[in-house]
Amino acid sequence: MKNAKPCSVIPPKDQLASYKAAITENPNNASNNELSILAVGDYQKLWKPGRELKIRFLEDVSSSFVRAFSQAITHWIKHANLKFVIVPKGDADIRITTDSEHNKSLIGTDALTFDQNEATMYLETTPSDEYFESTVLHEMGHALGYLHEHLHQDATIPWNREKVYEHYFENYGWDKQRVDENVLTPYSGAIVDTEYDKNSIMHYEVDKELTDGVWEVGKNTVLSELDIKMAKRTYPEDPDDVPWKNV
Ligand SMILES: [Zn+2]
């Protein structure tokens, strides 16, 4: 059994504030059209394409950490029409704490609903870790508004549920509800027309000991073709171009 720490998504504190922030930032987030390609949740939490996102670390981090972090996120920036600026102080859209035992993040515009002194992303990984880059890419994927791929409605993973509960409790202390929310229960409430993508950076590693003994997903460490396609569709070069919304 491999031991990379699983990520969990931070839910919004206030659902209505979450919705209002999402549609104020980017009115296309409100789409609930059946053909909306990203409707894994009830509404999207994508930033306005072309916008600048300020990132601030809540603690002092070394310049080598910032360099490694910046290097990692270039893989998203190459394909998503967004600008990232790391600011030393002042207001920031994404606040990162490295004083953490977990890797986790809010989804996209939910960050707008948290106070400026509150972290919107937690990183326990450091540049010396083998999976630093892939962990940063995964957490930044959440910060861009993307959800867990293994919870895609079409994933139909043949989980051995009892083993899954046991594994996450014994290794990470997760209770049943946390496992249900982060591992076992597919997103509902919307039609998805993006293909399920086993290679997505947003997919958990799945050990075959937790499934029917055959089905498994290895550790995804780079953006998949469909991740790149998603970045291009959700943050298109022309901000008025919204191919993910069927109007
Ligand atoms: Zn995650």
Side-chain angles (χ1 to χ4, degrees), residues 70-88:
S70 305
Q71 176 63 31
I73 65 175
T74 57
H75 294 289
W76 279 123
I77 300 169
K78 269 189 271 182
H79 308 291
N81 181 19
L82 289 169
K83 296 174 196 73
F84 293 97
V85 183
I86 296 175
V87 296

Side-chain angles (χ1 to χ4, degrees), residues 5 7 59 80 112 138 141 169 214:
K5 278 194 180 174
C7 154
E59 297 86 29
L112 295 169
H138 179 100
F169 180 75
V214 178

Side-chain angles (χ1 to χ4, degrees), residues 6-10 103-105 107 135 138-139 141-142 146-150 182 187 201-204:
C7 154
S8 58
V9 161
I10 306 172
N103 296 299
K104 57 184 182 177
S105 177
I107 302 294
T135 302
H138 179 100
E139 298 309 327
H142 287 314
Y146 308 144
L147 300 166
H148 277 142
E149 187 68 13
H150 54 275
N182 285 281
Y187 297 117
I201 197 75
M202 304 312 293
H203 203 300
Y204 270 14

Side-chain angles (χ1 to χ4, degrees), residues 225-239:
E225 274 178 42
L226 290 177
D227 287 334
I228 291 169
K229 194 170 159 191
M230 176 82 92
K232 288 181 172 168
R233 290 173 88 171
T234 50
Y235 296 106
E237 276 307 312
D238 177 357

Side-chain angles (χ1 to χ4, degrees), residues 191-231:
I191 307 288
V192 181
D193 81 349
T194 44
E195 280 172 64
Y196 164 61
D197 177 17
K198 267 178 109 168
N199 298 318
S200 172
I201 197 75
M202 304 312 293
H203 203 300
Y204 270 14
E205 180 178 11
V206 178
D207 196 290
K208 60 179 183 241
E209 287 175 39
L210 300 182
T211 66
D212 57 5
V214 178
W215 201 99
E216 64 183 336
V217 171
K219 177 81 180 163
N220 295 332
T221 57
V222 296
L223 300 189
S224 69
E225 274 178 42
L226 290 177
D227 287 334
I228 291 169
K229 194 170 159 191
M230 176 82 92

Side-chain angles (χ1 to χ4, degrees), residues 27 29 58 69 82 109 115 133 135 142 154 188 208 218 236 240:
N29 282 327
L58 295 183
F69 177 86
L82 289 169
T109 53
D115 290 340
E133 182 170 288
T135 302
H142 287 314
D154 296 337
S188 60
K208 60 179 183 241
D240 295 326

Side-chain angles (χ1 to χ4, degrees), residues 32-140:
N32 57 3
N33 190 294
E34 287 187 347
L35 296 174
S36 171
I37 66 151
L38 281 174
V40 184
D42 290 337
Y43 57 96
Q44 303 309 322
K45 301 177 181 181
L46 301 165
W47 304 93
K48 190 174 169 53
R51 155 207 229 288
E52 177 182 278
L53 285 173
K54 290 194 173 79
I55 300 174
R56 178 161 56 86
F57 289 96
L58 295 183
E59 297 86 29
D60 283 334
V61 287
S62 67
S63 55
S64 60
F65 188 105
V66 174
R67 237 185 346 262
F69 177 86
S70 305
Q71 176 63 31
I73 65 175
T74 57
H75 294 289
W76 279 123
I77 300 169
K78 269 189 271 182
H79 308 291
N81 181 19
L82 289 169
K83 296 174 196 73
F84 293 97
V85 183
I86 296 175
V87 296
K89 58 183 179 182
D91 285 359
D93 306 294
I94 297 167
R95 281 92 56 191
I96 302 174
T97 180
T98 53
D99 182 15
S100 175
E101 293 180 359
H102 307 279
N103 296 299
K104 57 184 182 177
S105 177
L106 281 162
I107 302 294
T109 53
D110 277 350
L112 295 169
T113 68
F114 275 41
D115 290 340
Q116 278 294 324
N117 59 1
E118 287 181 289
T120 65
M121 183 186 294
Y122 293 70
L123 291 178
E124 68 90 33
T125 186
T126 59
S128 59
D129 294 342
E130 182 184 0
Y131 295 124
F132 176 81
E133 182 170 288
S134 54
T135 302
V136 169
L137 283 175
H138 179 100
E139 298 309 327
M140 277 304 292

